[in-house]
Amino acid sequence: MADTDSYQLDHIIQTPAPISSLSFSASGYIFAGSDDGSLRVYHRTSPKVIKAIRGLNEISSIAHVKINGSELGDIWVASGRQAHCFSLDRDQLILSPSDASSVLEIGADDEDVLNELALNHKNTQLAFSLDSGTVGVVDLSTKKITRMRTSHQSICGSVKFIPDRPSELVSGGYDSALLHFDFQQGSVLSRFDLSSAPPASGVSMSPPFILSMSISPSGIIAAGTADGRVWIGTGGEKSSGGSTGQKKKRRKWEGLKHDEGLAVDVAEGPVVATVFIGPRSFLTCTLLGKVTQHEICGSSEENNLSLTTSWTKTVEHTVKVNALIAVDEWIIIGGFGKDGKGVTECWIKKSIDIRVEIPEKV
């Protein structure tokens, strides 16, 4: 295993408040939301702020919308119980809540806050998860909000659309459950309940709350838990033509099948971020900032499904991590430092020339 050989710190961004969420655009922009309700836009190669939004509540999630002919596009921002849409190609440098082109009241009350927003590949549907455990979808053409009939028994922190499944999504909750929905019908198609790991040396571990989740383009799911594990489900994997064998596309996604999954201990602390970077490669990041790249090997059919580690590296300036994104040769990690203020570490592949910059706080 290569240790820290793959990526190296390129530059640092400091902000007055902790970074609570991150997103990116294919054109190279990074969107960083903070606990104080501010959001800043950067190009991923520079710590210079390009645009900002101020005056929201704590920002828990950001979803970017690509607009043809637009450099920055639009973003959906989860703030409290509301989802705000902003067009970022406006002239002003700093936007306020009144500049939102659309505001949706999604939470039932001020305590029922949004946790994650996710767009489908056509940018026509916006999925959401709530503190109440509710999962739902907004039809963006009509702004109609549909809530699933079944909800999590605790906080629902994660929601994702399933690639190439136009009416299916998956959610993960603090009830240690993964729920697979047909959102057009509002019904549950399948579910997986993750049991607690056996205690080691008599020490009780954290419950397996599902804190993070990602689905690969090939249909594999990886879910990170509060007790330092990752559960991978390969039952929904599409044919790759590789050594893992051919799979025909099934009538529905079967990524939560118990006999086609594997739970692996990957860390000593909570896994707060899980991000696929390839059909069978993904990153995890712990609360304390240990980033690891994993490779999924073998298959359940051949009884040799396993997880291997390519490399691991720990953050240099961040005390606790709240968000991680990966795009092209970049890994962006957001959280806060020893002084309690926001830190974003921008890592780049080591083969690329680096520079380390600590800009003035904006």
Side-chain angles (χ1 to χ4, degrees):
M1 180 183 73
D3 186 14
T4 75
D5 285 344
S6 295
Y7 286 83
Q8 193 162 341
L9 181 66
D10 183 77
H11 63 279
I12 301 163
I13 301 168
Q14 293 181 314
T15 49
I19 298 298
S20 52
S21 57
L22 292 167
S23 187
F24 66 88
S25 71
S27 54
Y29 293 97
I30 300 296
F31 311 97
S34 295
D35 281 358
D36 64 355
S38 63
L39 182 148
R40 293 167 176 82
V41 183
Y42 308 88
H43 194 274
R44 64 193 182 204
T45 59
S46 169
K48 181 181 179 181
V49 178
I50 296 171
K51 194 174 288 286
I53 301 170
R54 291 179 179 168
L56 297 169
N57 294 315
E58 177 180 347
I59 296 171
S60 55
S61 186
I62 307 162
H64 178 258
V65 184
K66 181 181 178 181
I67 306 292
N68 290 336
S70 168
E71 183 179 9
L72 288 172
D74 293 355
I75 53 172
W76 281 96
V77 180
S79 171
R81 63 187 290 191
Q82 298 177 325
H84 301 249
C85 184
F86 292 91
S87 176
L88 296 179
D89 281 329
R90 301 171 67 122
D91 291 336
Q92 64 257 52
L93 176 63
I94 299 175
L95 305 177
S96 66
S98 62
D99 294 312
S101 59
S102 183
V103 180
L104 303 174
E105 296 278 349
I106 295 179
D109 53 46
D110 288 342
E111 301 299 317
D112 191 21
V113 302
L114 283 162
N115 288 310
E116 186 164 61
L117 299 175
L119 283 160
N120 66 348
H121 76 285
K122 292 183 178 180
N123 294 328
T124 57
Q125 304 276 354
L126 181 73
F128 60 83
S129 64
L130 291 163
D131 262 8
S132 61
T134 298
V135 183
V137 173
V138 182
D139 183 325
L140 293 179
S141 64
T142 63
K143 302 301 189 293
K144 179 183 177 182
I145 300 172
T146 302
R147 293 173 174 82
M148 302 301 102
R149 294 193 293 270
T150 300
S151 62
H152 289 271
Q153 295 177 357
S154 185
I155 293 169
C156 178
S158 306
V159 64
K160 295 286 187 292
F161 287 98
I162 301 172
D164 297 328
R165 298 285 180 171
S167 65
E168 297 177 43
L169 58 78
V170 178
S171 61
Y174 285 24
D175 56 358
S176 306
L178 292 164
L179 300 179
H180 168 208
F181 294 97
D182 180 325
F183 62 81
Q184 291 184 348
Q185 301 295 325
S187 59
V188 174
L189 297 176
S190 62
R191 70 177 288 153
F192 178 77
D193 293 280
L194 189 62
S195 59
S196 297
S201 304
V203 179
S204 177
M205 301 293 288
S206 301
F209 301 151
I210 295 170
L211 302 181
S212 57
M213 186 175 66
S214 185
I215 303 178
S216 76
S218 61
I220 299 177
I221 185 170
T225 69
D227 62 357
R229 289 184 292 163
V230 168
W231 185 80
I232 54 173
T234 61
E237 184 178 22
K238 295 181 292 185
S239 171
S240 63
S243 59
T244 58
Q246 298 283 341
K247 281 189 175 183
K248 294 181 180 179
K249 184 173 180 179
R250 296 165 180 170
R251 184 178 59 83
K252 69 179 181 68
W253 183 74
E254 296 183 341
L256 302 188
K257 289 186 68 175
H258 183 274
D259 59 357
E260 295 193 50
L262 179 69
V264 182
D265 289 313
V266 298
E268 295 181 356
V271 179
V272 298
T274 309
V275 179
F276 270 96
I277 57 174
R280 283 187 150 227
S281 300
F282 66 95
L283 302 173
T284 58
C285 183
T286 67
L287 181 65
L288 299 182
K290 180 182 177 182
V291 181
T292 305
Q293 180 174 329
H294 308 273
E295 309 295 333
I296 300 170
C297 305
S299 67
S300 56
E301 290 94 336
E302 297 175 6
N303 200 31
N304 63 353
L305 184 63
S306 64
L307 200 64
T308 62
T309 298
S310 300
W311 58 266
T312 184
K313 177 178 172 62
T314 302
V315 291
E316 299 179 32
H317 300 271
T318 311
V319 173
K320 289 188 179 179
V321 172
N322 291 323
L324 177 148
I325 55 175
V327 53
D328 299 330
E329 71 275 15
W330 293 89
I331 296 174
I332 315 294
I333 305 154
F336 58 90
K338 291 180 180 180
D339 59 0
K341 297 182 179 180
V343 177
T344 302
E345 296 190 20
C346 300
W347 296 359
I348 196 168
K349 283 190 176 179
K350 193 174 180 180
S351 59
I352 300 173
D353 289 339
I354 66 160
R355 64 199 180 281
V356 177
E357 299 180 48
I358 303 179
E360 293 183 3
K361 297 172 186 177
V362 177

